Amino acid sequence: MPVTPTIAIAHLGCDKNRVDTEHMLGLLIQAGFRVESDEQLADYVIVNTCSFIEEARRESVRTILQLAECGKRVVIAGCLAQHFQQELLQEIPEAVALVGTGDYHKIVEVIQRAEQGERVNAVTQELTYIADETVPRYRTTNSAVAYVRIAEGCDYRCAFCIIPHLRGNQRSRPIESIVQECHQLAAEGVQEIVLISQITTNYGIDLYGQPQLAELLVALGEVDVPWIRMHYAYPTGLTPKVLQAIKSTPNVLPYLDLPLQHSHPAVLRAMNRPWQGRVNDRIIEQIRAALPEAVLRTTFIVGFPGETEEHFAHLLAFVERHRFDHVGAFTFSPEEGTPAFSLPDQIPEAVKQERKERLMLTQQPISLAQNQKEVGKIVQVLVEEQHYETKQAIGRSARFAPDVDGVVYIENGDKCQIGEFYAVEITGCDVYDLYGRVV
């Protein structure tokens, strides 16, 4: 009887990529393959790659080459495979297979064919697939948290972004499918579900002819999960109907991740952002008025071609004025195949880095002040780590999303259980994190 090969997955990239990884693992386990967490003990290593920016591509290639040097049979999956399939086959002879972003559901067949000695190119340009609640899944997050992809792909064509080329146009899952998956996760003990897609506020347009995010959120109110959080909520899609759904659905957190990218209308137009000049003071003020308790997170790109000091000063003033709870900053990365790659007035790298530093230095006292408002409050904290030797636990309050925001350090957390909620009095803070005690 032939020995079943052992397979490991090296996961790189975003949470949408993570969901693909989890489905591949689930399919492989269902098919009887042995899955190993230690790459060195595996026969095959699937590298689920990122190709969003140059730095991510370098990390992906570095990981692939390191595994190849160790004699592993490497399957290159995800965005890098979708982006550079021919080049990868030519330049990395150790790669036994390529699996694109629309083909991860074929992973069992790919491994079986590789076992027969075939070098497999399973990358299709017809990106139409999206997994639903019936596809096996083996979660790689901690037991309390799960990401649920409500849609794949993007219909927008922002000048700096290669996502539509890598993942296709938007395709949403039906509300019933998403709700069923969330019920399944609740039955597994999941305490927090994070809804993800490229443009969460556009959810459902392709299926229903108009956005259905509000309807989805209301339907998810029936799921027995204490926290449901949204990522990638584009501000112009936060209609009064959506804001009311957030406000009226008890388990939907008033946490809004707004990928604004910039504040100046000229830069937004150059970026070909879908709302361009409509991201202004008024739209943020409307969100704050409708959801005064909302936690606002955003990200900005600095150093976009043509960004002047006046444009950047506009951004700094915007940040100071609106006092976001959490801000992330990225320097512009010129990606071949995007319109922004060949735009004139490219910004020197040193200027980009200097602007990024100035932006974060502007935000830090704001983040500290927002955290200081929590001191003295008793908040619910979801515990995710336990350190018995220090008698400390680490978790998150509702104002912190997994992996991207701060955490809550619980000084008397030695009796806390991972995956459970505790009432914690916040006794201190710094720029990014909170400190407290179980009451």
Side-chain angles (χ1 to χ4, degrees):
M1 176 177 278
V3 177
T4 303
T6 302
I7 300 169
I9 294 190
H11 166 77
L12 305 171
C14 66
D15 294 318
K16 293 179 284 293
N17 228 29
R18 179 181 295 280
V19 173
D20 296 348
T21 291
E22 293 178 348
H23 281 305
M24 284 192 284
L25 283 168
L27 288 163
L28 290 164
I29 291 168
Q30 182 189 63
F33 287 97
R34 294 176 295 164
V35 171
E36 175 59 62
S37 59
D38 186 344
E39 296 157 6
Q40 297 305 314
L41 300 178
D43 302 304
Y44 290 87
V45 180
I46 301 166
V47 184
N48 198 6
T49 58
C50 180
S51 190
F52 185 54
I53 59 174
E54 180 62 33
E55 184 178 343
R57 287 195 289 276
R58 285 200 206 99
E59 181 186 11
S60 295
V61 171
R62 185 165 57 247
T63 302
I64 292 164
L65 294 178
Q66 286 172 348
L67 290 165
E69 288 172 2
C70 295
K72 300 301 173 184
R73 285 175 274 182
V74 179
V75 176
I76 305 175
C79 291
L80 195 72
Q82 193 71 40
H83 198 177
F84 297 109
Q85 51 182 302
Q86 294 306 323
E87 294 93 326
L88 291 171
L89 285 172
Q90 291 168 7
E91 296 180 17
I92 306 179
E94 296 87 353
V96 299
L98 300 181
V99 178
T101 59
D103 304 282
Y104 55 90
H105 57 300
K106 302 174 185 174
I107 189 62
V108 171
E109 175 196 342
V110 167
I111 297 295
Q112 290 169 339
R113 289 167 62 186
E115 276 288 274
Q116 298 301 313
E118 183 180 349
R119 198 174 190 216
V120 186
N121 182 357
V123 178
T124 180
Q125 299 306 314
E126 295 296 321
L127 297 171
T128 59
Y129 180 74
I130 180 170
D132 62 20
E133 78 283 6
T134 66
V135 180
R137 181 176 177 184
Y138 180 86
R139 287 192 292 115
T140 59
T141 51
N142 71 65
S143 60
V145 176
Y147 292 90
V148 171
R149 181 167 47 204
I150 65 173
E152 175 65 288
C154 184
D155 291 337
Y156 292 154
R157 297 297 183 265
C158 299
F160 55 83
C161 184
I162 201 168
I163 290 296
H165 174 66
L166 300 179
R167 291 193 171 265
N169 290 328
Q170 178 171 299
R171 47 203 186 274
S172 303
R173 294 171 56 191
I175 288 175
E176 297 78 12
S177 170
I178 297 165
V179 171
Q180 182 58 37
E181 182 178 9
C182 291
H183 278 304
Q184 293 168 1
L185 293 167
E188 295 172 12
V190 167
Q191 302 278 28
E192 177 178 8
I193 287 173
V194 184
L195 305 179
I196 55 172
S197 70
Q198 200 60 36
I199 309 173
T200 301
T201 34
N202 274 8
Y203 164 74
I205 289 177
D206 52 308
L207 275 185
Y208 304 106
Q210 58 186 351
Q212 293 285 292
L213 180 59
E215 289 78 2
L216 173 63
L217 295 177
V218 171
L220 290 172
E222 301 302 315
V223 177
D224 187 20
V225 169
W227 286 356
I228 294 178
R229 188 188 304 272
M230 280 190 303
H231 278 188
Y232 319 119
Y234 282 44
T236 50
L238 290 169
T239 62
K241 188 176 181 181
V242 171
L243 293 171
Q244 180 56 38
I246 296 170
K247 192 170 186 176
S248 62
T249 310
N251 59 346
V252 174
L253 297 177
Y255 174 101
L256 297 175
D257 174 36
L258 313 170
L260 298 178
Q261 310 305 5
H262 213 280
S263 64
H264 198 284
V267 179
L268 290 167
R269 282 193 293 272
M271 289 179 169
N272 199 30
R273 295 297 273 169
W275 50 82
Q276 300 185 3
R278 290 183 288 145
V279 171
N280 51 32
D281 293 332
R282 185 165 169 266
I283 200 165
I284 305 300
E285 288 161 1
Q286 286 173 338
I287 293 169
R288 293 275 197 201
L291 282 175
E293 74 279 22
V295 174
L296 299 188
R297 173 183 177 79
T298 190
T299 50
F300 296 111
I301 295 174
V302 298
F304 191 81
E307 181 191 57
T308 64
E309 269 298 319
E310 179 186 352
H311 296 151
F312 182 67
H314 186 281
L315 176 59
L316 291 182
F318 185 80
V319 167
E320 289 180 326
R321 194 158 55 247
H322 291 295
R323 303 185 66 78
F324 298 99
D325 296 88
H326 314 293
V327 168
F330 301 90
T331 57
F332 169 72
S333 175
E335 298 304 314
E336 195 167 355
T338 65
F341 180 79
S342 55
L343 284 177
D345 302 319
Q346 297 279 333
I347 308 296
E349 190 61 35
V351 175
K352 295 181 199 175
Q353 294 296 337
E354 186 265 343
R355 287 179 182 173
K356 176 183 176 181
E357 184 176 353
R358 283 164 61 194
L359 175 58
M360 295 314 296
L361 286 173
T362 299
Q363 174 60 28
Q364 283 177 0
I366 298 170
S367 292
L368 177 61
Q370 299 294 65
N371 275 349
Q372 285 171 336
K373 293 178 184 177
E374 299 297 295
V375 176
K377 293 182 182 178
I378 295 175
V379 301
Q380 289 295 304
V381 173
L382 177 59
V383 170
E384 296 180 304
E385 294 180 43
Q386 170 65 264
H387 299 279
Y388 296 102
E389 65 282 358
T390 62
K391 297 187 177 182
Q392 187 181 70
I394 301 175
R396 289 178 296 106
S397 68
R399 64 181 278 104
F400 297 139
D403 299 327
V404 293
D405 297 328
V407 296
V408 181
Y409 292 94
I410 305 171
E411 63 178 87
N412 62 337
D414 52 315
K415 297 213 169 37
C416 292
Q417 300 297 311
I418 291 174
E420 298 293 333
F421 285 94
Y422 294 88
V424 174
E425 181 182 5
I426 303 303
T427 57
C429 70
D430 57 28
V431 170
Y432 299 111
D433 302 316
L434 301 175
Y435 301 84
R437 293 179 55 86
V438 175
V439 295

